[in-house]
Amino acid sequence: VPSDVPSQLPSGIPSSKPSQVPSDQPSNKPTVSIKPSASPSKKPSDPPNPSPSKKPSSAPSDAVVVVTSCVNTSYTFPLINDPTVVNGCLWIINNNKNIATRRANYCSDTVIKENCAQACGECSTPTDSPAFTFKLKNLKNDVAVIQKCAWITANSKPERLAARMEYCLKPKIIVGCAATCA
């Protein structure tokens, strides 16, 4: 039952009907509309920033990346879960167990994909990464021997070449030495 005099306190039970008279001031809690406005905004949004961000985006882009060079550059990027840690392209492939996950998480970023084309598996022609190295299975005097891709095919004797090609069975080496292992 409506009263003749307006109340100073709000009702404990809100009305299901809109008020007949508009309020003097806007509400502190405006309603959220799911419908677009019938008229455009009087103030347009700011233009895009012309300089690139320092941090890769967390969402993949729909943009097509054209890889112009099939090598890993010296480009570095922050880790998704710890932006204070910065790594380079070879980090993507330096752990056999994590290659697929790292490619999925980092190579979806167009800047990383372009700069780390070889590590991201974006090369149509297999290419060895010039900076890639790996440890040999056999350790001399308990000292790890580090080699580059060319070592695998450096000895052309069939039995030596076959033994060295076994290194190409490791995912990390398949990626880092893609041309040699092809």
Side-chain angles (χ1 to χ4, degrees):
V1 176
S3 64
D4 294 334
V5 180
S7 167
Q8 296 298 319
L9 299 172
S11 167
I13 303 170
S15 169
S16 62
K17 297 179 182 175
S19 65
Q20 297 286 330
V21 181
S23 57
D24 294 332
Q25 295 181 354
S27 168
N28 288 344
K29 295 180 182 177
T31 56
V32 178
S33 173
I34 57 170
K35 295 180 183 177
S37 171
S39 59
S41 169
K42 295 197 182 339
K43 183 181 180 244
S45 62
D46 293 333
N49 188 334
S51 59
S53 63
K54 293 179 182 175
K55 183 177 165 187
S57 64
S58 58
S61 168
D62 291 335
V64 175
V65 176
V66 177
V67 176
T68 56
S69 175
C70 205
V71 295
N72 297 317
T73 67
S74 59
Y75 180 74
T76 58
F77 51 89
L79 295 186
I80 293 168
N81 60 350
D82 186 357
T84 62
V85 177
V86 176
N87 278 306
C89 299
L90 292 178
W91 174 83
I92 294 169
I93 61 169
N94 79 353
N95 184 314
N96 289 333
K97 293 178 184 174
N98 296 332
I99 292 173
T101 302
R102 288 177 178 175
R103 279 183 168 174
N105 289 339
Y106 293 91
C107 296
S108 59
D109 181 279
T110 55
V111 176
I112 293 174
K113 185 184 285 187
E114 186 176 317
N115 283 285
C116 303
Q118 197 270 342
C120 288
E122 291 296 311
C123 304
S124 57
T125 303
T127 308
D128 289 347
S129 178
F132 181 76
T133 59
F134 58 94
K135 291 180 185 177
L136 297 183
K137 290 181 200 170
N138 300 327
L139 303 178
K140 294 181 182 179
N141 302 328
D142 291 330
V143 176
V145 177
I146 306 295
Q147 291 292 349
K148 288 189 167 265
C149 300
W151 173 85
I152 294 172
T153 56
N155 190 327
S156 60
K157 291 182 182 176
E159 66 279 0
R160 299 296 292 158
L161 183 59
R164 289 181 177 193
M165 288 302 285
E166 286 183 26
Y167 284 94
C168 290
L169 299 176
K170 294 184 176 188
K172 170 181 166 179
I173 296 175
I174 290 171
V175 174
C177 301
T180 298
C181 293

